[in-house]
Amino acid sequence: MKYAGKSLIAACIICLLFSPFNSLRAKEFKIAWGLAAGQLTSAIGTETAGRFKGPASFCLGRGLDVYVLDSLECAIEWFDENGTHLAKYSLPLIDENNQKLIYADIACSAQGNLFVLEARHGAIMKVQADRRLPTPIIIPGLASFHLLTKLAVLADESLIVYEALTGTVIYLSQKGELHGAIKNSALQELVLDSEGRLLGTQRPEPKKMLLIAVEPRSGKRQVLKAFRLKSTDVALNVLGADKKGNVLIERSKENKEGKEIRQLIKWHKKSGTKMAQKLSFSLADVGMTRTRRVARNGQLFTVSSLDDGLKIVRHGSFGVSR
């Protein structure tokens, strides 16, 4: 397999993210792959004695299947919505110069194809829906960017990549042709709405936060909603959107003593009004992080790290498009 471009150091991408917490009306299952051979897990989910080496990211499939990208193992692990392991897809380990490939992120298209971002050479691996061997999409211009961290796929399977060093959003065709770039660090999570626009937040003044949508092809920006911030607000993040255009917002607040941070998750309708449903969490250990994803039907998932694997929480009926 041949790649164009210089070798890039992006190993700092390989980190995982996830912290455990409890939630109302949530279904939990544990992908406990750190178990010794033959030992069973008491949690719902797989009893396979596998082991994650370095899970870097995960995505949701067309249904509610979960795909975990293990960067150190150079593999994709496929699980159903109940945590049962279905298959493993191996990715190339090294390039033609015997350098280890660095896989940073994974995304699934509406057609069911998987795309994996390889950060060392600026390439993207495509795994077809029939799960044949992965084929590389060579993108020579992408190798000039030094810290590729995120990947998203639009409805027509054109691609979006985020480069963290310069805060650049890179728009590519299905064949990997470079069609444009936008410098906007507010879009770093590459959250897409139902119209294929990138969602993010910008803070034009200390007590105001804007929810914005940016068209990746043209860079056209639209303000969807303005939030007034209080002194107790720590952060406001966009988690995702459903097929009806509703947007899921995570708001982090600290108490008056500054000793506890709670996260409040609410749906906001396309019209800008809030829905009645909400989730609230208390973070005992703020130093740990977690990753959340929103499925196409609006279902919210959270992945947390455990000593012996990963825990995935599907938050009941919360967020399912009505």
Side-chain angles (χ1 to χ4, degrees), residues 222-285:
Q222 178 185 359
V223 176
L224 302 180
K225 184 178 177 64
F227 295 86
R228 299 302 301 177
L229 301 179
K230 299 180 180 180
S231 59
T232 53
D233 285 321
V234 177
L236 192 145
N237 300 307
V238 184
L239 297 181
D242 65 11
K243 59 187 177 183
K244 294 183 178 180
N246 305 313
V247 180
L248 192 60
I249 300 291
E250 174 190 80
R251 195 166 192 160
S252 301
K253 293 175 172 286
E254 63 182 6
N255 61 12
K256 293 181 180 179
E257 295 77 22
K259 296 180 179 179
E260 181 188 34
I261 291 183
R262 296 193 65 82
Q263 290 183 322
L264 189 64
I265 298 177
K266 289 184 178 180
W267 280 100
H268 293 258
K269 290 183 178 179
K270 191 174 182 179
S271 60
T273 59
K274 291 183 292 187
M275 296 182 182
Q277 277 188 316
K278 64 181 180 181
L279 291 174
S280 179
F281 307 104
S282 176
L283 298 187
D285 187 351

Side-chain angles (χ1 to χ4, degrees), residues 52 84 156 171 203-205 220 253 274 276 288-289 318:
F52 287 116
T84 302
D156 62 355
Y171 173 58
R203 194 170 188 170
E205 55 187 75
K220 183 179 179 181
K253 293 175 172 286
K274 291 183 292 187
M288 297 186 70
T289 56
F318 177 78

Side-chain angles (χ1 to χ4, degrees), residues 171-186:
Y171 173 58
L172 307 161
S173 72
Q174 300 96 323
K175 297 180 180 180
E177 301 160 325
L178 192 61
H179 279 188
I182 308 167
K183 283 197 175 183
N184 193 331
S185 59

Side-chain angles (χ1 to χ4, degrees), residues 116-149:
V116 181
L117 174 63
E118 198 287 311
R120 184 183 291 277
H121 298 280
I124 294 174
M125 300 289 177
K126 181 178 181 180
V127 182
Q128 299 280 1
D130 58 10
R131 305 299 178 240
R132 293 178 293 181
L133 291 175
T135 55
I137 302 174
I138 307 302
I139 309 168
L142 209 56
S144 62
F145 294 92
H146 294 277
L147 192 57
L148 305 172
T149 58

Side-chain angles (χ1 to χ4, degrees), residues 23-27 279 299-300 313-320:
S23 67
L24 285 172
R25 298 189 302 162
K27 178 176 181 180
L279 291 174
Q299 185 78 73
L300 176 64
V313 180
R314 189 173 74 234
H315 297 277
S317 59
F318 177 78
V320 176

Side-chain angles (χ1 to χ4, degrees), residues 16-48:
L16 251 191
L17 302 179
F18 316 128
S19 73
F21 55 83
N22 296 318
S23 67
L24 285 172
R25 298 189 302 162
K27 178 176 181 180
E28 300 184 7
F29 61 84
K30 184 169 69 173
I31 301 174
W33 271 28
L35 301 174
Q39 184 181 358
L40 302 182
T41 172
S42 59
I44 301 172
T46 181
E47 297 177 350
T48 306

Side-chain angles (χ1 to χ4, degrees), residues 2-205:
K2 294 183 178 180
Y3 293 92
K6 60 184 179 181
S7 173
L8 304 175
I9 300 175
C12 59
I13 299 166
I14 307 172
C15 57
L16 251 191
L17 302 179
F18 316 128
S19 73
F21 55 83
N22 296 318
S23 67
L24 285 172
R25 298 189 302 162
K27 178 176 181 180
E28 300 184 7
F29 61 84
K30 184 169 69 173
I31 301 174
W33 271 28
L35 301 174
Q39 184 181 358
L40 302 182
T41 172
S42 59
I44 301 172
T46 181
E47 297 177 350
T48 306
R51 185 183 297 273
F52 287 116
K53 290 185 178 179
S57 183
F58 83 102
C59 70
L60 303 172
R62 284 182 294 184
L64 297 179
D65 288 354
V66 178
Y67 297 92
V68 179
L69 171 64
D70 193 325
S71 187
L72 293 181
E73 181 70 12
C74 294
I76 301 167
E77 303 291 356
W78 177 21
F79 302 88
D80 69 12
E81 61 183 279
N82 296 310
T84 302
H85 184 255
L86 300 178
K88 174 180 180 177
Y89 305 113
S90 296
L91 300 168
L93 295 172
I94 58 175
D95 64 12
E96 58 185 5
N97 297 315
N98 290 324
Q99 290 183 310
K100 191 178 187 306
L101 300 179
I102 300 173
Y103 297 104
D105 201 14
I106 184 171
C108 184
S109 70
Q111 293 80 4
N113 297 318
L114 296 174
F115 294 81
V116 181
L117 174 63
E118 198 287 311
R120 184 183 291 277
H121 298 280
I124 294 174
M125 300 289 177
K126 181 178 181 180
V127 182
Q128 299 280 1
D130 58 10
R131 305 299 178 240
R132 293 178 293 181
L133 291 175
T135 55
I137 302 174
I138 307 302
I139 309 168
L142 209 56
S144 62
F145 294 92
H146 294 277
L147 192 57
L148 305 172
T149 58
K150 291 289 183 180
L151 173 68
V153 185
L154 296 172
D156 62 355
E157 292 199 341
S158 53
L159 304 164
I160 303 174
V161 177
Y162 183 74
E163 198 277 325
L165 193 64
T166 59
T168 302
V169 177
I170 306 155
Y171 173 58
L172 307 161
S173 72
Q174 300 96 323
K175 297 180 180 180
E177 301 160 325
L178 192 61
H179 279 188
I182 308 167
K183 283 197 175 183
N184 193 331
S185 59
L187 307 173
Q188 60 183 311
E189 293 301 321
L190 298 189
V191 176
L192 295 170
D193 70 2
S194 57
E195 300 176 30
R197 299 178 301 177
L198 290 161
L199 300 176
T201 56
Q202 287 184 335
R203 194 170 188 170
E205 55 187 75

